[in-house]
Amino acid sequence: MSGQLKEVRNRIKSTQSNLQITKAMKMVSAAKLRRAQDAILLMRPYALKLQEMLKNIVSNSEGSIDLALAAQRPVEKVLLIVITSDRGLCGAYNSNLIKLTKQVIREKYEEQFAKGHVEILPIGKKGYEHFVKNGYKLNDSFWHLFAHLDFEHVKQAAAFAMEGFIAGNYDAVEIIYSEFKNAATQRFVAEQFLPVARVENTDQSAGRADFIFEPEKKALIAELMPKILNTQLYKAMLDANASEHGARMTAMDKATENANELLRSYKISYNRARQAAITTELTEIVSGAAALEG
């Protein structure tokens, strides 16, 4: 009986230690989430408006100028930019992104993958480790970007994708990441990066957005397109960063709740076992006294 009590006491101490860790991690993630959430909420309207403007410019420029980054060609070689996190303990966040990547390959690029023409560009240690372990063709130049999450470093990855697309190394580039909704909700998306998407307008009366270009149209578009694409990837990185902290905060909150439930259960078991031990001892004492009297 004493051995059973000692085992339950050890479990209670272990659970209390885990409880302190999960509560601390929840508070740290909540603080980081606040900053990350402010960053993406300020960035998103600007980035989305730029993307909308870019699509309209490309759609209005059909045949008038050569748009290398909007060139539509048969898809033979694919680059998938997969944004995961550097650290774990964030629930199913990373596994959902990896599942989505495999789903995109299976549904859209199965033929290219069979030929070895699908390349992964992982951003984040967890995705990098998974794809290395499973033998995927990948580029390992930018997996550490979250260590330096700023526009200057992110645009290097965007420049790599754009240069590869222009050179013909890739015919399509997609970004797979988690779009931040709130602390408890993320939306896992695969977003076209290259070629630049065109506006699909089936309503002929609506027309497309009209722009006045100053200076020359060709020079201005050549300057704007890379900058807008840099912003698109940076927005995805900020979304992923906020989503990671939200997922970790939620996971640690659930872990704290589970630890509290487990702790209550262990304490009940301990009290029952202790009560049973005391009852047994009292019974033995009474039985012994009765035997001596008899």
Side-chain angles (χ1 to χ4, degrees):
M1 184 64 71
S2 61
Q4 182 181 354
L5 286 173
K6 184 178 179 181
E7 181 183 350
V8 176
R9 280 198 300 268
N10 289 337
R11 289 183 179 180
I12 289 173
K13 288 180 181 178
S14 175
T15 305
Q16 287 174 333
S17 298
N18 290 334
L19 181 62
Q20 291 176 339
I21 293 171
T22 56
K23 286 174 71 176
M25 291 189 68
K26 176 188 172 182
M27 289 188 290
V28 170
S29 294
K32 290 182 177 180
L33 173 63
R34 180 61 182 270
R35 294 194 294 270
Q37 182 176 340
D38 289 344
I40 185 56
L41 292 181
L42 289 172
M43 179 68 176
R44 184 178 288 155
Y46 173 73
L48 292 178
K49 194 64 181 178
L50 284 178
Q51 284 178 246
E52 180 186 342
M53 184 177 73
L54 180 59
K55 289 178 181 179
N56 274 296
I57 290 173
V58 169
S59 301
N60 283 326
S61 302
E62 291 183 22
S64 59
I65 55 175
D66 181 24
L67 300 175
L69 293 172
Q72 302 281 344
R73 51 182 183 254
V75 177
E76 295 293 335
K77 300 176 182 178
V78 180
L79 178 68
L80 299 178
I81 303 174
V82 184
I83 306 175
T84 59
S85 68
D86 281 342
R87 296 179 297 156
L89 296 177
C90 47
Y93 174 78
N94 289 307
S95 61
N96 283 333
L97 287 164
I98 291 168
K99 285 179 184 176
L100 178 59
T101 302
K102 294 178 179 179
Q103 180 183 339
V104 169
I105 292 173
R106 185 172 60 253
E107 294 179 357
K108 295 178 67 176
Y109 305 117
E110 188 172 13
E111 184 179 340
Q112 293 86 339
F113 182 75
K115 295 178 181 178
H117 293 167
V118 174
E119 183 175 330
I120 307 289
L121 193 155
I123 297 176
K125 184 179 179 181
K126 290 300 179 180
Y128 168 73
E129 289 177 343
H130 175 85
F131 291 117
V132 167
K133 181 180 178 181
N134 288 274
Y136 283 77
K137 180 181 179 181
L138 55 82
N139 183 295
D140 61 357
S141 302
F142 303 101
W143 67 266
H144 55 277
L145 274 185
F146 278 112
H148 308 283
L149 183 53
D150 56 52
F151 188 76
E152 292 302 314
H153 285 91
V154 172
K155 77 176 186 180
Q156 294 175 14
F160 170 83
M162 287 185 278
E163 289 167 5
F165 182 81
I166 293 172
N169 298 332
Y170 313 111
D171 302 309
V173 181
E174 291 196 29
I175 308 173
I176 297 172
Y177 68 102
S178 175
E179 184 179 64
F180 178 78
K181 294 297 183 183
N182 54 54
T185 309
Q186 303 88 35
R187 188 170 73 95
F188 300 97
V189 296
E191 184 178 277
Q192 182 175 328
F193 187 64
L194 292 169
V196 175
R198 301 177 185 272
V199 174
E200 295 183 5
N201 192 352
T202 56
D203 186 358
Q204 299 296 327
S205 62
R208 290 170 174 162
D210 192 19
F211 294 92
I212 298 173
F213 295 91
E214 182 66 34
E216 181 188 8
K217 184 176 183 179
K218 184 177 181 179
L220 189 61
I221 291 178
E223 181 74 18
L224 276 177
M225 286 184 75
K227 290 185 177 181
I228 295 175
L229 289 168
N230 290 339
T231 304
Q232 181 180 350
L233 182 57
Y234 185 54
K235 192 269 294 182
M237 290 286 291
L238 292 181
D239 258 318
N241 187 46
S243 296
E244 176 195 346
H245 293 310
R248 182 170 293 110
M249 189 186 78
T250 303
M252 291 301 100
D253 181 54
K254 293 296 183 184
T256 301
E257 289 181 9
N258 291 338
N260 279 319
E261 288 293 329
L262 199 58
L263 197 57
R264 280 193 288 271
S265 174
Y266 284 150
K267 285 181 177 179
I268 291 171
S269 298
Y270 176 79
N271 290 333
R272 284 177 177 171
R274 186 166 174 269
Q275 187 178 25
I278 293 171
T279 303
T280 302
E281 289 177 6
L282 288 173
T283 302
E284 290 174 353
I285 291 170
V286 170
S287 299
L292 290 173
E293 289 177 0

